[in-house]
Amino acid sequence: METNVTIRGEEKFRSFIEQEATIGFDAAKRDLEEQFLANEQANQYVLAAENARDGQEHVLRYLGVCLAYDAQGTQLGGGKAYLDKGQKAARKDITIVFM
């Protein structure tokens, strides 16, 4: 499945990583994506204690939205649930906004 991730307010996320993390920004972005895909209802990025400079877990809140599309490009879950039966997501567009 294709996954497209867009981060708005990236400078806030970058600043958080530079101040708190021992991992690089690219590794943190991959971690953020994995955390979001594991729980699309989550509204915070959790920097694990082993990746933090001070050895403690840190949290940064965000707003995340995920839109899923089938192979024909039709949005799934767009209010017509009867059309979504049996269809699998071929693409997910994820937007994460740090405010």
Side-chain angles (χ1 to χ4, degrees), residues 17 22 36 40 43 48 51-52 57 65 68 86 94 96:
I17 295 303
T22 58
F36 186 84
E40 293 177 3
N43 63 354
N51 294 330
E57 192 174 270
V65 177
I94 299 169
I96 297 175

Side-chain angles (χ1 to χ4, degrees), residues 4-77:
N4 301 311
V5 179
T6 303
I7 298 176
R8 303 277 186 232
E10 186 175 295
E11 60 282 346
K12 185 171 183 176
F13 183 56
R14 183 180 298 275
S15 174
F16 173 78
I17 295 303
E18 288 173 355
Q19 289 176 1
E20 305 293 347
T22 58
I23 59 175
F25 182 70
D26 291 332
K29 281 176 64 173
R30 285 190 301 276
D31 188 34
L32 171 64
E33 182 179 339
E34 289 171 9
Q35 286 183 28
F36 186 84
L37 289 172
N39 180 5
E40 293 177 3
Q41 302 301 317
N43 63 354
Q44 61 188 14
Y45 171 69
V46 178
L47 178 64
E50 63 266 9
N51 294 330
R53 291 177 195 245
D54 61 4
Q56 296 194 18
E57 192 174 270
H58 294 273
V59 174
L60 182 63
R61 294 182 126 354
Y62 63 78
L63 172 68
V65 177
C66 180
L67 300 175
Y69 299 90
D70 66 9
Q72 288 77 34
T74 304
Q75 182 181 351
L76 300 176

